[in-house]
Amino acid sequence: MQPLTLRMDERDNVAIVANDGGLPAGTALPGGPVLLDKVPQGHKVALQAIPAGAPVLRYGVAIGFAKQAIEAGRWVHEKLLEMPAARALEGLPMATVTPAPQPPLEGFTFEGYRNPDGSVGTRNLLAITTTVQCVAGVVAHALQRIRDELLPQYPNVDGVVALDHAYGCGVAIDAPDAAIPIRTLRHISLNPNFGGEVMVVSLGCEKLQPERMLPPGTIAIAEAGEDAGLDVVRLQDEAHVGFGSMIDSILRQARVHLERLNRRRRETVPASELVVGVQCGGSDAFSGVTANPAVGFAADLLVRAGATIMFSENTEVRDAVEQLTSRAATPEVAEAIVRELGWYDRYLERGRVDRSANTTPGNKAGGLSNIVEKAMGSIVKSGRMPIAHVLPPGEKLRRDQRGLVFAATPASDFICGTLQLAAGMNLHVFTTGRGTPYGLAACPVVKVATRSDLARRWHDLMDLNAGQVADGAKSIEEMGWALFRLLLDVASGRRTWAEQHRLHNALVLFNPAPVT
Ligand code: CA
């Protein structure tokens, strides 16, 4: 077997082993040392002797400091590394780097559903919004009836989705931070994949009343002349006698929306109508070498095509904050990045942890020693374009907020995906190295494998294999273009593996406020 190692920057004194199954001790690396230890796939090998206390460099940055002298050819695992402190949020370079302008990409289109507010859906879904967890069982029952009895009559509707969640009551709803889960629910209800149709199922006595979740004026009227009032089914209404009558009410209201959704057709729209959220989960050391750089290349293509691309995951960008603030389009954008990450630092401090609480046992088994190394590999998903906007958690992008956006969210896969849905995402890209069957009911999720071994074993779960980059079969540029074209296909209706298997995870709200 030809030994294959990957080094990210010429300053690096470690490289990662790319071979499936790793490499045994005694392997001579081409132009490098002989391995003194067995090094698992994705893990780091010292390319030269590293004295105690010296920086261990990957991506050209110190991902840690050697706790003891490390000989060339040693496996450099987490126990040998002291993690550097997080960069202070004062004195950062603000909007100092202007990336070289790139020519616009013209002529790329997809087939989407144009909404009354001008946004575009990639799917035509009926969403049933809920104000409180109490109604979830009833809504799940109604959903099955809608699927079985109604959807066959409305063939142009792609599906029905329940927006259920654990919020709505038993919470300190007037606490300042409660604004985050409340606006998240409001904005998810208005996601472009729901066609501007909003129907709500409420219990009646809950703290989060429908009018608080969706105040008058938040919903674009689907068709001129129609009643713009909020469509609410309240289970505690006296008109409801028995469970069956609640289900009848939900089905009756669902029909009204299905009629309108069913009249919609896909039309050719420019690629600039894409609002793509990217994130990673179940990461390994290949994430930052194969899949995330390919996503970054595709992100640049999307920006050049006039589209919107969001990257998120606060704890995975915190150690790269200098890269973000310097790449901000304006000092105001840089200040907004500092404001969001500073708020998040304080949020973590309240729980007596910091960004290092992010890494998982699987990350470490996959070769990621600590959050600094993980962050350097995560941030490359954002590509190289200037950061044009910053979005606080649960907020929705305005139509004029295009380009590269930092949507500040936790890195938790479900919370990040939920907040990106609220931001107006109509397409999701998810990279994984360890493997996760992650999916969302409200939006197609394109999953990108970081390793060929994972792509082979999970052949009917991974939509794209970026492991081809580590194998030497494809360049980052080729993978980036492949992803860009796949995104246009999926936006036009091609179903992802998760959609084919109907896999989806729960919506999970970010609620930093107290419960009662
Ligand atoms: Ca994540």
Side-chain angles (χ1 to χ4, degrees):
M1 176 169 47
Q2 182 68 23
L4 212 57
T5 57
L6 297 164
R7 190 185 188 189
M8 297 310 290
D9 188 287
E10 58 189 22
R11 290 166 288 182
D12 293 358
N13 51 13
V14 294
I16 67 164
V17 168
N19 301 79
D20 283 352
L23 288 173
T27 307
L29 299 182
V34 174
L35 297 188
L36 300 177
D37 302 307
K38 173 183 172 15
V39 182
Q41 188 193 33
H43 283 249
K44 295 176 285 298
V45 54
L47 296 174
Q48 60 201 62
I50 305 171
V56 172
L57 299 168
R58 192 172 171 221
Y59 301 101
V61 302
I63 59 165
F65 296 92
K67 281 186 178 170
Q68 61 192 65
I70 301 172
E71 298 159 272
R74 283 273 175 232
W75 172 23
V76 181
H77 50 77
E78 55 167 298
K79 294 194 176 64
L80 295 178
L81 294 184
E82 186 76 50
M83 195 172 82
R87 174 79 161 83
L89 293 177
E90 289 88 41
L92 289 161
M94 307 296 263
T96 48
V97 174
T98 309
Q102 296 207 41
L105 276 184
E106 279 157 9
F108 289 94
T109 59
F110 68 100
E111 301 298 309
Y113 294 98
R114 184 70 80 175
N115 294 322
D117 68 356
S119 67
V120 173
T122 61
R123 296 293 182 267
N124 189 28
L125 299 169
L126 170 66
I128 301 181
T129 302
T130 64
T131 51
V132 68
Q133 168 63 210
C134 311
V135 305
V138 173
V139 170
H141 184 100
L143 217 66
Q144 197 54 52
R145 293 269 308 269
I146 292 170
R147 276 201 194 103
D148 294 345
E149 297 166 31
L150 300 189
L151 282 186
Q153 304 167 40
Y154 302 100
N156 297 321
V157 179
D158 292 322
V160 55
V161 178
L163 304 181
D164 54 15
H165 54 84
Y167 199 72
C169 214
V171 291
I173 203 155
D174 293 316
D177 290 339
I180 294 176
I182 296 171
R183 70 188 179 214
T184 302
L185 287 171
R186 173 182 311 139
H187 292 144
I188 288 184
S189 309
L190 306 176
N191 183 278
N193 286 348
F194 307 147
E197 298 290 333
V198 179
M199 78 171 271
V200 183
V201 176
S202 150
L203 181 62
C205 59
E206 67 273 25
K207 281 186 174 165
L208 183 57
Q209 288 290 305
E211 299 73 20
R212 183 161 185 171
M213 191 167 97
L214 289 153
T218 47
I219 304 169
I221 307 164
E223 285 169 28
E226 291 194 50
D227 182 16
L230 196 54
D231 176 2
V232 182
V233 174
R234 270 190 191 78
L235 301 189
Q236 289 172 347
D237 259 6
E238 292 193 2
H240 288 140
V241 178
F243 173 67
S245 73
M246 298 173 189
I247 300 295
D248 288 346
S249 288
I250 297 172
L251 264 58
R252 185 175 58 245
Q253 290 313 112
R255 271 188 186 280
V256 174
H257 299 280
L258 286 168
E259 290 284 349
R260 283 198 291 256
L261 289 170
N262 197 51
R263 289 201 286 272
R264 288 150 51 88
R265 297 292 181 275
R266 289 188 184 271
E267 56 186 275
T268 304
V269 295
S272 57
E273 297 298 349
L274 285 177
V275 182
V276 180
V278 301
Q279 70 155 322
C280 46
S283 298
D284 67 4
F286 284 102
S287 299
V289 179
T290 60
N292 291 351
V295 169
F297 190 87
D300 291 352
L301 297 177
L302 286 162
V303 173
R304 288 170 60 193
T308 303
I309 179 141
M310 282 180 278
F311 70 104
S312 296
E313 307 179 290
N314 293 339
T315 48
E316 292 175 15
V317 304
R318 179 63 182 81
D319 283 285
V321 61
E322 275 181 84
Q323 293 181 33
L324 296 190
T325 53
S326 59
R327 196 149 60 97
T330 65
E332 290 72 31
V333 169
E335 278 156 24
I337 292 169
V338 170
R339 191 164 60 241
E340 289 301 325
L341 293 181
W343 183 88
Y344 207 77
D345 277 359
R346 291 188 294 281
Y347 163 75
L348 292 176
E349 278 162 23
R350 271 195 272 155
R352 302 197 177 186
V353 294
D354 64 16
R355 88 279 190 219
S356 68
N358 172 302
T359 42
T360 67
N363 291 153
K364 292 183 177 179
L368 292 173
S369 293
N370 59 35
I371 185 60
V372 185
E373 183 175 18
K374 186 173 172 178
M376 295 308 150
S378 177
I379 190 90
V380 295
K381 295 196 299 294
S382 65
R384 296 178 176 188
M385 292 295 189
I387 300 166
H389 305 284
V390 174
L391 200 67
E395 290 289 11
K396 186 180 192 308
L397 285 167
R398 298 192 315 265
R399 294 266 301 142
D400 61 346
Q401 289 179 310
R402 303 288 178 111
L404 181 63
V405 177
F406 173 54
T409 80
S412 153
D413 297 348
F414 328 103
I415 294 181
C416 173
T418 299
L419 291 169
Q420 289 185 341
L421 282 175
M425 165 171 78
N426 56 20
L427 196 57
H428 199 22
V429 177
F430 192 101
T431 69
T432 183
R434 306 293 295 171
T436 160
Y438 175 87
L440 292 172
C443 176
V445 179
V446 173
K447 286 204 294 297
V448 183
T450 73
R451 295 178 294 127
S452 292
D453 174 55
L454 174 68
R456 272 193 296 271
R457 285 186 294 114
W458 288 31
H459 58 91
D460 52 2
L461 287 163
M462 294 292 136
D463 298 292
L464 192 68
N465 175 22
Q468 295 173 89
V469 172
D471 304 340
K474 287 255 168 68
S475 67
I476 299 277
E477 292 75 13
E478 287 168 330
M479 272 330 296
W481 272 106
L483 176 59
F484 179 72
R485 292 181 193 283
L486 177 59
L487 291 179
L488 293 175
D489 283 353
V490 170
S492 301
R494 175 173 162 181
R495 296 197 306 156
T496 64
W497 280 118
E499 285 179 296
Q500 292 183 46
H501 302 313
R502 293 176 180 239
L503 302 181
H504 65 84
N505 292 97
L507 296 175
V508 182
L509 292 174
F510 179 39
N511 178 23
V515 296
T516 59

